[in-house]
Amino acid sequence: MIRAARIVGRPVLLLAGLVLAGLALRGLGLDSTVASAGEHGPALFVALAAGACALGVPRQVAAYAGGLAFGFWAGTALALLAVVLGCVLDFAWARIVARDWAARRLRAGGRLARLDAFLVANPFTATLTLRLLPVGNNLALNLLAGVSGVAAAPFVLASALGFIPQTGVFALLGGGVRVEHGAQVAVAAGLFAASAGLGVVLMRRSTLQA
């Protein structure tokens, strides 16, 4: 119960930090920079956001930036595409470059081996659960999945589905919906908490089944 409360309670701090990051992006003129790119703006945003996420920038920042530059619906779609592309880039790099190195350590047992076994046994559910939770390192999970034995298709599909709730939430915070700002933040916080709660439920079910 305490562990679940911590997981659900952390969204408040994460929301506050990412809102501040989004305000910094607004101050730097992100929206005007993308707008000045004209018809190439969406492609430019996806390329930059995908590269940033692949290097470890939080996916929530990309979603906020998408909402800021393109509005809620387009911003959510473009940010989701960018985050999934970043995930695929990390996964492919790890599988191609580091798979043999990791295999030797998996045979030695330990935490990496346990995570490998968990992902391989429950590739879709385990990935979806971890994506919904507002904790953890997105880059680390991408790389660990790449060097593990998990199949690529269920990992990427579950990742894409798990990315949707928080991508929408932070695109909403970025200014996509034309409602009063306080109500906008309240709606986003509620959706974020619901996403985290669903992740906790899935995590507990997976633990019980294991």
Side-chain angles (χ1 to χ4, degrees), residues 159-176:
S159 294
L161 291 175
F163 288 148
I164 291 174
Q166 290 186 36
T167 301
V169 165
F170 286 94
L172 176 65
L173 282 173

Side-chain angles (χ1 to χ4, degrees), residues 78-131:
L78 292 171
L80 181 61
L81 175 60
V83 173
V84 173
L85 286 176
C87 168
V88 171
L89 288 172
D90 288 335
F91 183 92
W93 181 87
R95 180 141 298 187
I96 294 171
V97 175
R99 185 72 180 274
D100 292 340
W101 172 87
R104 295 191 295 271
R105 284 150 182 81
L106 289 174
R107 287 194 293 269
R111 184 177 181 181
L112 186 59
R114 291 194 298 272
L115 178 59
D116 176 68
F118 179 55
L119 287 172
V120 171
N122 312 278
F124 187 88
T125 303
T127 302
L128 181 61
T129 300
L130 294 171
R131 296 307 193 188

